[in-house]
Amino acid sequence: MTARRSGPETVGGVEWPTVGLAAVIYGLWAAATYFHDRLPWPVLVVVGGWAIAWHGSLQHEIIHGHPTRSRRLNTALGFAPLSLWLPFEIYRQTHQAHHATEQLTDPAHDPETRYLPASASRLRRAAAALQATLLGRLVLGPAIEIGGFWLDEIGRVGRCEPGRLALWLGHGLAVGLIVAWLWRVCHMPLWLYGLCFIYPGAALSLLRSFAEHRADPTPRRRVAVVERAPILGLLFLNNNLHAAHHDRPGAPWHSLPAFYAKDRERLLRANGGLVYDGYGEIVRRFLFRRHDRAVYPASDGASA
Protein backbone atom coordinates (compact mmCIF):
# COMPACT_ATOMS: atom_id res chain seq x y z
CA MET A 1 0.00 0.00 0.00
CA THR A 2 1.34 3.41 -0.94
CA ALA A 3 2.11 5.69 1.98
CA ARG A 4 -0.22 8.63 2.46
CA ARG A 5 1.11 12.05 1.59
CA SER A 6 0.67 14.99 3.90
CA GLY A 7 -1.15 18.01 2.56
CA PRO A 8 -3.42 20.88 3.56
CA GLU A 9 -6.27 18.42 4.23
CA THR A 10 -4.12 16.40 6.66
CA VAL A 11 -3.48 17.94 10.09
CA GLY A 12 -1.73 16.01 12.84
CA GLY A 13 -1.85 12.82 10.80
CA VAL A 14 -5.65 13.03 10.45
CA GLU A 15 -7.37 13.41 7.07
CA TRP A 16 -10.19 15.73 8.07
CA PRO A 17 -12.18 15.54 4.83
CA THR A 18 -12.70 11.83 5.49
CA VAL A 19 -13.59 12.42 9.13
CA GLY A 20 -16.12 15.03 8.06
CA LEU A 21 -17.47 12.70 5.41
CA ALA A 22 -17.96 9.96 8.01
CA ALA A 23 -19.96 12.37 10.17
CA VAL A 24 -22.17 13.24 7.18
CA ILE A 25 -22.75 9.58 6.27
CA TYR A 26 -23.68 8.48 9.79
CA GLY A 27 -25.80 11.58 10.24
CA LEU A 28 -27.65 10.88 6.98
CA TRP A 29 -28.24 7.25 7.94
CA ALA A 30 -29.43 8.14 11.44
CA ALA A 31 -31.79 10.83 10.14
CA ALA A 32 -33.18 8.61 7.37
CA THR A 33 -33.91 5.76 9.76
CA TYR A 34 -35.31 7.96 12.52
CA PHE A 35 -37.62 9.92 10.18
CA HIS A 36 -38.40 7.01 7.86
CA ASP A 37 -42.15 7.23 8.49
CA ARG A 38 -42.21 10.85 7.32
CA LEU A 39 -40.53 10.20 3.97
CA PRO A 40 -42.33 8.97 0.83
CA TRP A 41 -41.03 5.51 0.00
CA PRO A 42 -39.34 6.59 -3.29
CA VAL A 43 -37.37 9.20 -1.33
CA LEU A 44 -36.58 6.64 1.37
CA VAL A 45 -35.24 4.20 -1.24
CA VAL A 46 -32.96 6.85 -2.75
CA VAL A 47 -31.71 8.22 0.57
CA GLY A 48 -31.46 4.83 2.25
CA GLY A 49 -29.69 3.18 -0.66
CA TRP A 50 -27.31 6.11 -0.99
CA ALA A 51 -26.46 6.01 2.73
CA ILE A 52 -25.64 2.28 2.67
CA ALA A 53 -23.57 2.48 -0.52
CA TRP A 54 -21.79 5.61 0.71
CA HIS A 55 -20.94 3.86 3.96
CA GLY A 56 -19.51 0.97 1.93
CA SER A 57 -17.30 3.48 0.11
CA LEU A 58 -16.18 4.84 3.47
CA GLN A 59 -15.31 1.33 4.62
CA HIS A 60 -13.24 0.88 1.46
CA GLU A 61 -11.37 4.07 2.31
CA ILE A 62 -10.73 2.85 5.85
CA ILE A 63 -9.42 -0.50 4.61
CA HIS A 64 -6.76 1.45 2.71
CA GLY A 65 -5.48 3.11 5.87
CA HIS A 66 -7.54 6.29 6.20
CA PRO A 67 -8.23 8.70 7.81
CA THR A 68 -5.64 8.30 10.61
CA ARG A 69 -2.40 6.40 11.16
CA SER A 70 -4.13 4.19 13.75
CA ARG A 71 -5.74 1.03 12.43
CA ARG A 72 -7.81 0.75 15.62
CA LEU A 73 -9.21 4.24 15.27
CA ASN A 74 -9.95 3.72 11.59
CA THR A 75 -11.69 0.41 12.30
CA ALA A 76 -13.77 2.01 15.05
CA LEU A 77 -14.90 4.61 12.51
CA GLY A 78 -15.95 2.12 9.87
CA PHE A 79 -16.82 -1.31 11.31
CA ALA A 80 -20.50 -0.55 12.01
CA PRO A 81 -22.48 -3.06 9.88
CA LEU A 82 -25.11 -0.70 8.48
CA SER A 83 -25.73 -3.16 5.64
CA LEU A 84 -26.21 -5.93 8.26
CA TRP A 85 -25.03 -8.73 5.95
CA LEU A 86 -21.30 -8.05 5.46
CA PRO A 87 -18.78 -8.19 8.34
CA PHE A 88 -16.20 -5.44 8.00
CA GLU A 89 -13.29 -7.77 8.73
CA ILE A 90 -14.24 -10.13 5.89
CA TYR A 91 -14.46 -7.16 3.54
CA ARG A 92 -11.02 -6.06 4.73
CA GLN A 93 -9.47 -9.49 4.17
CA THR A 94 -10.89 -10.04 0.70
CA HIS A 95 -10.17 -6.52 -0.52
CA GLN A 96 -6.58 -6.59 0.68
CA ALA A 97 -6.14 -9.93 -1.10
CA HIS A 98 -7.64 -8.35 -4.22
CA HIS A 99 -4.98 -5.64 -4.19
CA ALA A 100 -2.18 -8.04 -3.26
CA THR A 101 -2.54 -10.27 -6.32
CA GLU A 102 -1.04 -9.46 -9.70
CA GLN A 103 -3.63 -11.71 -11.36
CA LEU A 104 -6.72 -9.53 -11.09
CA THR A 105 -9.98 -11.10 -12.31
CA ASP A 106 -8.49 -14.64 -12.10
CA PRO A 107 -10.80 -16.62 -9.75
CA ALA A 108 -7.81 -18.69 -8.61
CA HIS A 109 -6.15 -15.57 -7.18
CA ASP A 110 -8.65 -12.71 -6.92
CA PRO A 111 -11.36 -13.16 -4.24
CA GLU A 112 -13.35 -10.20 -5.60
CA THR A 113 -13.51 -11.38 -9.20
CA ARG A 114 -16.84 -11.72 -10.98
CA TYR A 115 -15.44 -14.44 -13.24
CA LEU A 116 -16.00 -18.14 -12.64
CA PRO A 117 -13.50 -20.99 -12.94
CA ALA A 118 -14.10 -23.52 -15.69
CA SER A 119 -15.06 -26.04 -12.99
CA ALA A 120 -17.95 -23.88 -11.74
CA SER A 121 -21.21 -25.69 -11.07
CA ARG A 122 -24.34 -25.26 -13.17
CA LEU A 123 -25.95 -23.37 -10.30
CA ARG A 124 -23.12 -20.83 -10.17
CA ARG A 125 -23.19 -20.47 -13.95
CA ALA A 126 -26.94 -19.89 -13.86
CA ALA A 127 -26.54 -17.25 -11.14
CA ALA A 128 -23.84 -15.54 -13.21
CA ALA A 129 -26.04 -15.62 -16.31
CA LEU A 130 -28.83 -13.84 -14.43
CA GLN A 131 -26.39 -11.03 -13.61
CA ALA A 132 -24.61 -10.86 -16.95
CA THR A 133 -26.41 -7.67 -17.99
CA LEU A 134 -26.48 -4.49 -15.95
CA LEU A 135 -30.24 -4.82 -15.53
CA GLY A 136 -29.84 -8.30 -14.08
CA ARG A 137 -27.01 -7.16 -11.85
CA LEU A 138 -29.03 -4.30 -10.38
CA VAL A 139 -32.35 -6.12 -10.00
CA LEU A 140 -31.28 -9.65 -9.06
CA GLY A 141 -27.65 -9.13 -8.12
CA PRO A 142 -28.14 -8.03 -4.50
CA ALA A 143 -30.18 -11.12 -3.62
CA ILE A 144 -27.74 -13.45 -5.39
CA GLU A 145 -24.70 -11.68 -3.94
CA ILE A 146 -25.94 -11.72 -0.34
CA GLY A 147 -27.41 -15.22 -0.52
CA GLY A 148 -24.29 -16.68 -2.12
CA PHE A 149 -22.05 -14.96 0.41
CA TRP A 150 -24.02 -16.32 3.35
CA LEU A 151 -24.04 -19.87 1.96
CA ASP A 152 -20.29 -19.71 1.51
CA GLU A 153 -19.79 -18.37 5.05
CA ILE A 154 -22.05 -21.04 6.56
CA GLY A 155 -19.77 -23.59 4.92
CA ARG A 156 -16.65 -21.90 6.32
CA VAL A 157 -18.08 -21.83 9.83
CA GLY A 158 -19.26 -25.43 9.45
CA ARG A 159 -15.73 -26.49 8.47
CA CYS A 160 -14.47 -24.77 11.63
CA GLU A 161 -12.10 -22.45 9.78
CA PRO A 162 -9.90 -20.73 12.39
CA GLY A 163 -11.36 -17.48 13.67
CA ARG A 164 -14.47 -17.58 11.49
CA LEU A 165 -17.00 -18.26 14.23
CA ALA A 166 -15.52 -15.59 16.49
CA LEU A 167 -15.61 -13.12 13.61
CA TRP A 168 -19.30 -13.78 13.04
CA LEU A 169 -20.12 -13.62 16.75
CA GLY A 170 -18.54 -10.16 16.93
CA HIS A 171 -20.44 -9.14 13.81
CA GLY A 172 -23.66 -10.45 15.35
CA LEU A 173 -23.21 -8.28 18.43
CA ALA A 174 -22.69 -5.20 16.25
CA VAL A 175 -25.75 -6.09 14.15
CA GLY A 176 -27.73 -6.39 17.38
CA LEU A 177 -26.95 -2.77 18.19
CA ILE A 178 -28.09 -1.64 14.74
CA VAL A 179 -31.31 -3.66 15.03
CA ALA A 180 -31.95 -2.23 18.50
CA TRP A 181 -31.69 1.29 17.04
CA LEU A 182 -34.08 0.41 14.23
CA TRP A 183 -36.65 -1.36 16.41
CA ARG A 184 -36.53 0.38 19.75
CA VAL A 185 -35.68 3.93 18.74
CA CYS A 186 -36.91 4.31 15.16
CA HIS A 187 -39.77 1.75 15.27
CA MET A 188 -38.71 0.70 11.79
CA PRO A 189 -39.62 -2.80 10.54
CA LEU A 190 -36.63 -4.83 9.39
CA TRP A 191 -38.36 -5.72 6.13
CA LEU A 192 -38.65 -2.01 5.33
CA TYR A 193 -34.99 -1.46 6.16
CA GLY A 194 -34.10 -4.35 3.88
CA LEU A 195 -36.15 -3.06 0.97
CA CYS A 196 -35.34 0.65 1.27
CA PHE A 197 -31.76 0.59 2.58
CA ILE A 198 -29.95 -2.74 2.18
CA TYR A 199 -31.19 -3.81 -1.26
CA PRO A 200 -30.80 -0.49 -3.12
CA GLY A 201 -27.49 0.12 -1.34
CA ALA A 202 -26.16 -3.21 -2.57
CA ALA A 203 -27.46 -2.44 -6.08
CA LEU A 204 -25.59 0.87 -6.17
CA SER A 205 -22.39 -0.86 -5.10
CA LEU A 206 -22.88 -3.46 -7.83
CA LEU A 207 -23.28 -0.66 -10.36
CA ARG A 208 -19.79 0.55 -9.46
CA SER A 209 -18.20 -2.89 -9.70
CA PHE A 210 -20.07 -4.00 -12.84
CA ALA A 211 -17.50 -2.85 -15.40
CA GLU A 212 -14.49 -1.81 -13.31
CA HIS A 213 -12.51 -4.97 -14.19
CA ARG A 214 -12.25 -7.04 -17.36
CA ALA A 215 -10.16 -10.10 -18.20
CA ASP A 216 -7.18 -9.39 -20.44
CA PRO A 217 -3.83 -11.11 -21.16
CA THR A 218 -2.06 -8.01 -19.77
CA PRO A 219 -2.76 -7.51 -16.03
CA ARG A 220 -2.61 -3.70 -16.19
CA ARG A 221 -5.38 -3.76 -18.81
CA ARG A 222 -7.83 -5.38 -16.43
CA VAL A 223 -8.67 -2.18 -14.54
CA ALA A 224 -11.11 0.34 -16.02
CA VAL A 225 -11.84 4.04 -15.55
CA VAL A 226 -15.24 5.74 -15.55
CA GLU A 227 -14.85 9.45 -16.27
CA ARG A 228 -17.37 12.30 -15.95
CA ALA A 229 -19.22 10.94 -12.92
CA PRO A 230 -19.60 13.92 -10.57
CA ILE A 231 -22.57 12.53 -8.63
CA LEU A 232 -21.79 8.82 -8.58
CA GLY A 233 -18.11 9.67 -8.26
CA LEU A 234 -18.93 11.30 -4.93
CA LEU A 235 -20.96 8.26 -3.89
CA PHE A 236 -18.09 5.94 -4.80
CA LEU A 237 -15.46 8.32 -3.37
CA ASN A 238 -13.77 8.55 -6.77
CA ASN A 239 -13.25 4.79 -6.94
CA ASN A 240 -14.72 5.09 -10.43
CA LEU A 241 -11.20 6.25 -11.36
CA HIS A 242 -10.27 2.67 -10.67
CA ALA A 243 -7.02 2.49 -12.61
CA ALA A 244 -5.78 5.46 -10.60
CA HIS A 245 -6.82 3.75 -7.37
CA HIS A 246 -4.96 0.55 -8.28
CA ASP A 247 -1.94 2.56 -9.34
CA ARG A 248 -1.88 4.42 -6.00
CA PRO A 249 -4.07 2.44 -3.56
CA GLY A 250 -2.93 4.45 -0.54
CA ALA A 251 -4.03 7.80 -1.96
CA PRO A 252 -7.08 9.30 -0.17
CA TRP A 253 -10.30 9.65 -2.11
CA HIS A 254 -10.16 13.45 -2.28
CA SER A 255 -6.75 13.41 -4.02
CA LEU A 256 -7.59 10.89 -6.76
CA PRO A 257 -9.18 13.31 -9.28
CA ALA A 258 -6.11 15.57 -9.33
CA PHE A 259 -3.79 12.58 -9.54
CA TYR A 260 -5.82 11.09 -12.39
CA ALA A 261 -5.97 14.38 -14.30
CA LYS A 262 -2.20 14.75 -14.02
CA ASP A 263 -1.37 11.17 -15.04
CA ARG A 264 -4.37 10.42 -17.28
CA GLU A 265 -2.35 9.74 -20.42
CA ARG A 266 -0.01 7.32 -18.64
CA LEU A 267 -2.82 5.49 -16.84
CA LEU A 268 -4.94 5.04 -19.98
CA ARG A 269 -1.92 3.93 -21.97
CA ALA A 270 -1.20 1.33 -19.29
CA ASN A 271 -4.78 0.03 -19.11
CA GLY A 272 -5.17 -0.15 -22.87
CA GLY A 273 -7.70 2.68 -23.05
CA LEU A 274 -10.31 0.86 -20.96
CA VAL A 275 -12.31 3.98 -20.19
CA TYR A 276 -16.03 4.81 -20.11
CA ASP A 277 -17.59 8.23 -20.60
CA GLY A 278 -19.64 8.22 -17.42
CA TYR A 279 -22.03 5.61 -16.07
CA GLY A 280 -24.47 6.64 -18.79
CA GLU A 281 -22.25 4.87 -21.32
CA ILE A 282 -22.21 1.73 -19.18
CA VAL A 283 -26.02 1.82 -18.99
CA ARG A 284 -26.37 2.33 -22.75
CA ARG A 285 -23.94 -0.44 -23.63
CA PHE A 286 -24.73 -3.08 -21.03
CA LEU A 287 -28.25 -2.60 -19.69
CA PHE A 288 -29.50 -5.46 -21.86
CA ARG A 289 -26.16 -6.82 -23.08
CA ARG A 290 -23.59 -8.80 -21.13
CA HIS A 291 -20.37 -7.11 -20.15
CA ASP A 292 -18.29 -10.26 -20.67
CA ARG A 293 -18.43 -14.03 -20.51
CA ALA A 294 -18.89 -15.42 -17.03
CA VAL A 295 -16.18 -18.09 -17.19
CA TYR A 296 -12.62 -16.85 -16.89
CA PRO A 297 -10.73 -17.48 -20.15
CA ALA A 298 -8.53 -20.55 -19.71
CA SER A 299 -5.83 -19.06 -21.89
CA ASP A 300 -5.79 -15.89 -19.72
CA GLY A 301 -6.90 -14.01 -22.81
CA ALA A 302 -9.58 -11.41 -23.12
CA SER A 303 -13.12 -12.57 -23.44
CA ALA A 304 -15.25 -11.51 -26.37
Side-chain angles (χ1 to χ4, degrees):
M1 184 179 296
T2 307
R4 298 202 310 270
R5 296 183 178 182
S6 61
E9 303 89 353
T10 304
V11 180
V14 178
E15 296 167 3
W16 291 105
T18 305
V19 174
L21 175 74
V24 171
I25 292 172
Y26 284 115
L28 177 66
W29 176 83
T33 52
Y34 190 80
F35 296 108
H36 72 275
D37 55 349
R38 304 183 191 181
L39 298 174
W41 72 263
V43 174
L44 191 62
V45 167
V46 172
V47 175
W50 183 283
I52 296 299
W54 216 6
H55 183 256
S57 297
L58 174 66
Q59 289 185 320
H60 172 265
E61 194 73 7
I62 287 169
I63 287 169
H64 282 283
H66 309 283
T68 78
R69 297 191 181 101
S70 169
R71 175 166 170 162
R72 288 185 177 180
L73 284 177
N74 295 343
T75 299
L77 188 63
F79 84 98
L82 301 190
S83 70
L84 302 185
W85 67 274
L86 178 62
F88 176 70
E89 190 55 36
I90 293 180
Y91 181 21
R92 189 206 301 271
Q93 293 171 5
T94 57
H95 193 67
Q96 288 179 340
H98 167 73
H99 275 275
T101 184
E102 296 182 356
Q103 298 300 322
L104 292 170
T105 72
D106 186 341
H109 301 280
D110 184 356
E112 290 189 350
T113 185
R114 297 290 174 181
Y115 291 90
L116 300 175
S119 60
S121 67
R122 289 184 178 179
L123 180 60
R124 292 187 66 193
R125 289 172 184 253
L130 290 173
Q131 303 178 80
T133 65
L134 180 60
L135 181 63
R137 179 66 59 84
L138 297 181
V139 175
L140 301 175
I144 295 172
E145 177 94 355
I146 296 171
F149 172 77
W150 277 349
L151 286 174
D152 184 60
E153 286 300 312
I154 288 171
R156 289 174 180 268
V157 173
R159 292 191 296 271
C160 298
E161 290 192 8
R164 215 64 178 184
L165 180 58
L167 187 156
W168 274 99
L169 288 175
H171 176 71
L173 290 174
V175 166
L177 294 176
I178 300 296
V179 171
W181 164 264
L182 296 174
W183 274 358
R184 306 287 258 172
V185 179
C186 304
H187 307 292
M188 185 177 191
L190 283 183
W191 66 263
L192 184 63
Y193 187 73
L195 287 179
C196 294
F197 284 73
I198 298 174
Y199 209 92
L204 283 171
S205 296
L206 290 175
L207 169 62
R208 175 190 56 76
S209 64
F210 180 75
E212 71 182 12
H213 290 287
R214 186 177 175 89
D216 190 277
T218 304
R220 291 292 297 272
R221 295 188 175 189
R222 300 175 188 178
V223 189
V225 168
V226 181
E227 297 181 331
R228 300 186 188 184
I231 297 176
L232 290 176
L234 176 61
L235 175 63
F236 302 143
L237 298 187
N238 298 319
N239 203 22
N240 53 295
L241 305 175
H242 210 56
H245 170 61
H246 270 269
D247 188 79
R248 188 176 291 180
W253 63 277
H254 48 82
S255 73
L256 277 179
F259 167 65
Y260 176 72
K262 179 182 177 182
D263 282 18
R264 181 179 185 274
E265 184 177 348
R266 175 183 66 84
L267 291 168
L268 294 187
R269 184 169 60 249
N271 85 339
L274 185 55
V275 58
Y276 299 97
D277 185 18
Y279 285 95
E281 180 183 350
I282 293 176
V283 171
R284 290 191 300 272
R285 290 179 60 180
F286 302 117
L287 186 63
F288 302 110
R289 180 175 176 268
R290 70 182 186 184
H291 170 253
D292 206 353
R293 294 172 180 163
V295 177
Y296 190 73
S299 62
D300 198 24
S303 300

